[in-house]
């Protein structure tokens, strides 16, 4: 009875801080890889809430885990531990290089913890001089002031006053550029094992292995930001497993909760011991609801069927996109790995990714962009093949419209 006002796109401009510019479509429900808006218009979801909805919408295993936990206990604070957090931590450590887990609520917070831990580790082992953090241009690590400054686009961190210091940026896939910045004062190197926001850029094997070697030479920690690549996205549970390079600290969020907010930082015993009691914390970190859902998401994704499915579905996407491109010559490259796929616009269509995204939305398809020139797809890892085929057909209509 209290809803006597229209809830529409105009209301956003009235009541929301203007840091986002959402589309006119307001989805109200979803099932699998289909979504319906307020007018009951149906969309196929190739966006996955920006690589978050790894099991689509309202996956029965996640709904069951959430509702079961909702009827038990919601929140305790870290004054007490809880069963879902312990179960999730056990499963994460059993299935990765890590011995220890710290829970947060987002990717940025997981990275914030990783960076603070790296600084503390270097301080206690080597002294105050060893504080340099090196990240990569075009990298993205979140929007807290520390993480956004570590990110490789100064435009995102400019305009907020003095920045956290001793942060440098090398070029991705350019070992010489990293080598030139590194010394024994380097505390940590932070990298995405495939740049997502920065344009769906894969590291070469040589680069990934070279970064690891340089870190070893200079006693610097290697932090892999797997917020976008983790939990099955690239066809392995974590991307480092496919690269054959093991980081010292790994961060996970996005798909980890399948749509419920959670972040995690994973590391070894030797490093973890430096976050002693009281050095860091979070009210909601390790919240039972979030951990119960994440446990169900991890259990479901970390199976041969789902991970092999990602590889097979990726082939279907790439073949479909290449077929569209053979007709319209709109893309110079289809790239990425697993179900994180980028389609790079040619010079002739430069700067028109947002236009293509909007055209696709009109055809009933939700997509993503990574900058002004790259279309990005990050669908559910279990998207039915027929939804891929139908979604690509809708994408082709949008491409045809833009090509006119
Ligand atoms: C999305 C993303 C983040 C930030 O995660 P939030 O949950 O928005 O804080 C950090 N790193 C990478 C690689 C991401 O893709």
């Amino acid at each position: 009875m209290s809803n006597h006002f229209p809830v529409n796109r105009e209301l956003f401009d009235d009541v929301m801080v203007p840091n986002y510019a959402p589309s006119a479509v307001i989805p109200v429900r979803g099932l699998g890889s289909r979504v319906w808006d307020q007018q009951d218009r149906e969309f196929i979801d190739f966006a996955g809430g920006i690589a978050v909805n790894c099991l689509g919408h309202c996956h029965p295993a996640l709904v069951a885990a959430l509702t079961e936990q909702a009827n038990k206990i919601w929140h305790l604070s870290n004054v007490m531990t809880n069963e879902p957090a312990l179960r999730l931590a056990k499963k994460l450590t059993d299935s990765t290089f890590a011995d220890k887990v710290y829970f947060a609520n987002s990717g940025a917070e997981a990275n914030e913890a990783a960076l603070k831990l790296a600084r503390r580790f270097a301080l206690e082992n080597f002294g105050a001089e060893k504080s340099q953090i090196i990240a990569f241009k075009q990298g993205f690590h979140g929007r807290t002031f520390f993480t956004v400054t570590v990110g490789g686009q100064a435009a995102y961190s400019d305009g907020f006053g003095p920045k956290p210091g001793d942060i440098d940026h090398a070029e991705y896939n350019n070992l010489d550029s990293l080598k030139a910045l590194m010394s024994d004062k380097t505390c940590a190197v932070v990298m995405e094992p495939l740049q997502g926001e920065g344009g769906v850029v894969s590291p070469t094997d040589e680069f990934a292995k070279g970064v690891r070697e340089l870190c070893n030479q200079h006693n610097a920690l290697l932090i892999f930001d797997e917020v976008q690549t983790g939990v099955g996205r690239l066809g392995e549970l974590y991307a480092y497993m496919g690269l054959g390079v093991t980081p010292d600290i790994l961060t996970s969020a996005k798909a980890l909760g399948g749509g419920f907010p959670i972040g995690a930082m994973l590391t070894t015993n030797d490093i973890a011991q430096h976050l002693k009691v009281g050095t860091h914390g979070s009210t909601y970190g390790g919240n039972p609801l979030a951990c119960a859902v994440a446990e169900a998401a991890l259990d479901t994704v970390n199976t041969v069927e789902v991970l092999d499915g990602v590889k097979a579905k990726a082939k279907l996407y790439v073949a479909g996109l290449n077929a569209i491109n053979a007709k319209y010559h709109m893309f110079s490259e289809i790239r990425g790995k697993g179900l994180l796929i980028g389609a790079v616009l040619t010079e002739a269509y430069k700067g028109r990714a947002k236009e293509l995204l909007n055209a696709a939305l009109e055809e009933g398809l939700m997509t993503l962009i990574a900058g002004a020139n790259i279309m990005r797809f990050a669908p559910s890892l279990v998207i039915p093949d027929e939804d891929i085929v139908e979604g690509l057909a809708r994408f082709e209509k949008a491409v045809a419209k833009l090509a006119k």
Side-chain angles (χ1 to χ4, degrees), residues 330-347:
M330 193 170 280
F331 307 107
S332 59
E333 192 186 0
I334 310 296
R335 67 192 186 196
K337 190 173 179 192
L339 288 175
L340 187 52
I341 299 163
V344 186
L345 290 169
T346 61
E347 203 56 33

Side-chain angles (χ1 to χ4, degrees), residues 67-88:
T67 49
E68 192 190 328
Q69 188 60 40
N71 285 302
K72 284 185 181 167
I73 197 159
W74 287 30
H75 186 74
L76 286 160
S77 93
N78 286 299
V79 173
M80 304 203 170
T81 190
N82 67 77
E83 289 183 356
L86 294 174
R87 277 201 306 265
L88 177 59

Side-chain angles (χ1 to χ4, degrees), residues 370-390:
N373 304 316
I374 298 166
M375 298 304 297
R376 179 172 36 147
F377 306 105
S380 156
L381 307 182
V382 295
I383 182 172
D385 288 355
E386 51 271 30
D387 286 8
I388 299 178
V389 171
E390 171 62 19

Side-chain angles (χ1 to χ4, degrees), residues 50-52 105-111 139-144 147 192-197 225-229 251 253-254 262 376:
I50 315 190
V52 166
N105 311 291
S106 66
E109 283 178 59
N111 285 330
F140 184 78
H141 303 292
R143 296 286 200 152
T144 66
T147 57
E192 295 163 80
L194 184 155
Q195 286 191 330
E197 302 300 313
D225 177 346
E226 292 232 28
V227 170
Q228 189 153 161
T229 55
T251 55
K254 291 203 166 99
I262 185 169
R376 179 172 36 147

Side-chain angles (χ1 to χ4, degrees), residues 357-371:
L357 176 146
N358 285 327
L361 201 60
E362 271 175 34
E363 299 299 334
L365 178 70
M366 294 160 58
T367 61
L368 297 167
I369 58 176

